[in-house]
Amino acid sequence: MHHDAILIGAGMSGLAAALRLALFGKDVVVLERHNLWGGLNSFYTKDGHAFDVGLHALTNFVPAGTRGAALTKVLRQLRIRHAELKLGQQRHSELRVPGARLRFSNELDLLTSEIEREFPGQVDGFRRLVSLVESTSLDEEPGAETSGRAVLEDCIGDRRLVDALLLPLFYYGSAREDDVDWTQLTVLFRAIFLEGLSRPEGGIRPLINLLVKRCKRAGADLRLSAGVARILTKDGRARGVELESGEVLTADTILSSAGFVETMELCGEEVAAAHTGPADHGRLSFLEVISVLDTPPAELGFGAATCFYSTREPFRYRRPEGTIDPFSGVLSAPTNFEADRPPAEPLLRATVLANPAPWLAFGEDEYRAAKDEACERALAEVDTLLGPWQSHTTYRDSFTPRTVQRFTGHRAGAIYGSPRKRKDGRTPIDALVLMGTDQGYLGVVGAMMSGIAMANRHVIAPAASSPSSTVEVRA
Ligand SMILES: Cc1cc2nc3c(=O)[nH]c(=O)nc-3n(C[C@H](O)[C@H](O)[C@H](O)COP(=O)(O)OP(=O)(O)OC[C@H]3O[C@@H](n4cnc5c(N)ncnc54)[C@H](O)[C@@H]3O)c2cc1C
């Protein structure tokens, strides 16, 4: 069967692209290998507990109607009303490095005043950094990458403050070790510090359900358990796909959210060998421990919605030597967001860097033992920040790079994909386009923006490929 577009993957980028294309009357089919929507950003129920996988916080919070903001553009292009997301804002979050604790909220003034208090000589440098971020324009044109860390260090002279600011920028979206491309940094800085964090009521499920319902209503064909085994190419152009079931579908354009290396591999060994190298492989993955508590974290003295921490100096954001690096991470407490209807159970989620190699190599028994040991080590370090809280744990679950690889197909569980992003979505194969993680917009809102931008640019208005036209094509 022939389609205008085939989309590989029903994560946030695939679902947003599908809805965008279907609203434009395009004949689109989404092929998802799993039996569940959402990809990296999904949900599950275990022993009666409902968990989200990839949502601590929705970045890019702005009030309804805020002009020019990413969230406003995404919602407008998908014809979703802001109120439908029922977003509860963070009360505050925290950055913690040895000897300093900075709160931030969805008002930049709080972070500025906290910097003034903890690092009095650095506030002018911070303001200069904010101006630089605000004056950097976002586009989808490929360009030379600049070290984001170097720009930050140029503005701010105190190493601990640099570490504190880099913590969320790395943890919420850098695929590079110890650095992030400057343009990417500006996207993340806006998303986290200039706009802010919120949580949809009910977590990620209502948002995914909304996208799926709207896609179906607009006429998109969404297929679960429909893994793509091969992308069919002829004369350097993608023509269609063969599913794991053997079924063949063809299309004018194929958009893939599987990742750059993974997508090249679907085109065959020769294509992968010719166009990918070690620099394309993501090296960073994470272990997350989710603790169900009998008491809300705020009542145990932890009032932050998220807390980005490093207990050692300097903060290292690299593949650890052993199974995990417990000395930095993110804590997330869903009950510390404003909500008309708070989450059913108080949770505390702790995410730390993990080395995929041992996790993928372990046998089953070894894997389970290593998981227990790594969770204990990660939480022991959290104790140094929060004091005693673990006695309030009633249930615990965790996932590792192995879980991420198994459920999303991302090699080595590399959540942020390849360090080399392809901003225009182009691949060496004509009519085969990347969207999502390896195109370069990360996170939930970023992935949706990526799906929309690539759908606009390569399917809806391929001739008008200027940056503004890609995100601004109106339905
Ligand atoms: C633990 C964790 C915490 C996170 N926390 C946050 C957060 O707090 N805030 C935030 O904004 N973001 C967060 N993220 C990141 C966010 O979830 C992702 O950036 C975003 O969901 C990526 O979407 P995507 O569409 O690019 O890719 P994916 O979600 O990876 O979607 C790709 C899809 O393609 C499918 N696929 C792959 N290969 C094939 C094939 N051959 N055939 C068919 N289907 C295939 C996969 O199964 C998958 O469903 C987190 C992620 C994780 C894992």
Side-chain angles (χ1 to χ4, degrees):
M1 191 162 172
H2 191 82
H3 301 272
D4 293 327
I6 290 173
L7 310 188
I8 302 177
M12 300 314 284
S13 63
L15 290 173
L19 179 51
R20 180 72 185 150
L21 291 171
L23 288 172
F24 256 86
K26 298 289 180 188
D27 173 359
V28 53
V29 59
V30 185
L31 303 170
E32 169 55 52
R33 184 192 279 134
H34 276 284
N35 54 5
L36 194 62
W37 319 111
L40 281 172
N41 206 84
S42 198
F43 52 84
Y44 63 100
T45 300
K46 197 167 169 188
D47 296 331
H49 304 281
F51 299 120
D52 284 343
V53 183
L55 180 83
H56 295 155
L58 204 71
T59 57
N60 300 87
F61 176 83
V62 287
T66 306
R67 290 172 72 86
L71 183 64
T72 311
K73 287 180 188 169
V74 164
L75 294 179
R76 192 180 65 223
Q77 301 244 337
L78 298 182
R79 299 189 201 158
I80 293 173
R81 284 178 297 111
H82 192 286
E84 289 182 275
L85 301 188
K86 295 190 181 152
L87 297 178
Q89 296 193 56
Q90 64 171 333
R91 295 190 184 96
H92 74 271
S93 287
E94 282 182 358
L95 310 174
R96 288 179 72 161
V97 289
R101 186 171 177 171
L102 302 168
R103 287 177 309 142
F104 70 97
S105 68
N106 294 354
E107 302 295 331
L108 186 65
D109 286 352
L110 177 61
L111 179 58
T112 310
S113 64
E114 293 275 289
I115 290 174
E116 208 151 18
R117 179 176 53 78
E118 291 271 5
F119 300 94
Q122 300 298 327
V123 80
D124 288 342
F126 178 67
R127 290 204 172 101
R128 192 153 69 83
L129 175 69
V130 172
S131 302
L132 273 177
V133 168
E134 286 175 329
S135 61
T136 302
S137 64
L138 309 179
D139 64 41
E140 288 134 21
E141 298 311 311
E145 299 203 340
T146 310
S147 161
R149 176 193 280 279
V151 179
L152 214 114
E153 285 174 348
D154 194 43
C155 293
I156 291 169
D158 190 299
R159 176 66 198 244
R160 278 184 314 141
L161 179 56
V162 169
D163 279 356
L165 294 172
L166 285 177
L167 273 161
L169 305 175
F170 285 177
Y171 266 101
Y172 272 8
S174 180
R176 276 212 220 167
E177 291 180 302
D178 284 328
D179 207 347
V180 59
D181 168 49
W182 166 247
T183 317
Q184 186 88 13
L185 184 148
T186 66
V187 172
L188 291 160
F189 195 99
R190 279 170 208 263
I192 298 166
F193 293 130
L194 301 187
E195 295 173 343
L197 306 182
S198 68
R199 182 175 183 277
E201 190 176 286
I204 202 62
R205 287 167 210 236
L207 176 55
I208 292 179
N209 290 340
L210 177 74
L211 287 170
V212 169
K213 202 166 115 193
R214 295 285 167 87
C215 278
K216 289 182 177 167
R217 199 164 80 192
D221 183 6
L222 303 187
R223 295 177 59 177
L224 291 174
S225 305
V228 171
R230 284 198 305 143
I231 294 173
L232 308 173
T233 62
K234 195 173 167 207
D235 302 328
R237 187 181 175 85
R239 310 282 169 172
V241 299
E242 183 181 325
L243 301 190
E244 283 157 6
S245 64
E247 186 183 355
V248 169
L249 305 174
T250 59
D252 295 341
T253 312
I254 298 173
L255 290 92
S256 171
S257 60
F260 177 69
V261 172
E262 295 82 348
T263 301
M264 292 297 97
E265 286 173 355
L266 288 172
C267 295
E269 273 174 29
E270 270 180 31
V271 172
H275 298 293
T276 67
D280 292 306
H281 288 261
R283 288 176 47 81
L284 296 169
S285 192
F286 301 94
L287 169 128
E288 183 164 296
V289 198
I290 309 174
S291 305
V292 180
L293 304 178
D294 61 13
T295 309
E299 289 177 28
L300 302 173
F302 180 70
T306 58
C307 169
F308 301 87
Y309 63 89
S310 175
T311 57
R312 298 275 165 100
E313 231 180 304
F315 157 45
R316 289 188 194 288
Y317 183 76
R318 23 189 343 102
R319 184 184 271 210
E321 293 286 325
T323 51
I324 60 158
D325 174 356
F327 302 118
S328 75
V330 190
L331 300 175
S332 164
T335 44
N336 285 344
F337 290 84
E338 286 169 3
D340 289 339
R341 289 172 50 211
E345 292 188 304
L347 303 180
L348 187 67
R349 296 168 59 163
T351 313
V352 297
L353 286 160
N355 178 354
W359 292 109
L360 297 174
F362 286 139
E364 240 355 274
D365 289 346
E366 236 180 338
Y367 175 67
R368 255 181 252 122
K371 221 166 135 168
D372 287 344
E373 188 268 341
C375 291
E376 294 303 333
R377 271 198 300 138
L379 295 186
E381 204 59 24
V382 172
D383 286 352
T384 68
L385 300 168
L386 302 193
W389 63 278
Q390 290 201 53
S391 59
H392 293 276
T393 304
T394 57
Y395 185 86
R396 199 162 87 180
D397 199 22
S398 57
F399 61 82
T400 71
R402 179 149 149 175
T403 329
V404 176
Q405 177 169 292
R406 181 163 155 228
F407 287 103
T408 68
H410 288 294
R411 292 279 176 283
I415 288 171
Y416 297 132
S418 167
R420 288 220 303 236
K421 301 302 178 195
R422 287 158 172 85
K423 292 181 197 162
D424 60 4
R426 290 186 200 287
T427 69
I429 308 294
D430 285 345
L432 176 60
V433 173
L434 291 182
M435 61 178 168
T437 306
D438 280 354
Q439 182 266 328
Y441 292 136
L442 293 158
V444 176
V445 175
M448 290 169 71
M449 197 154 99
S450 170
I452 294 168
M454 294 303 106
N456 286 342
R457 182 181 187 125
H458 296 282
V459 184
I460 294 170
S465 59
S466 78
S468 56
S469 68
T470 60
V471 181
E472 289 299 327
V473 172
R474 283 178 183 271

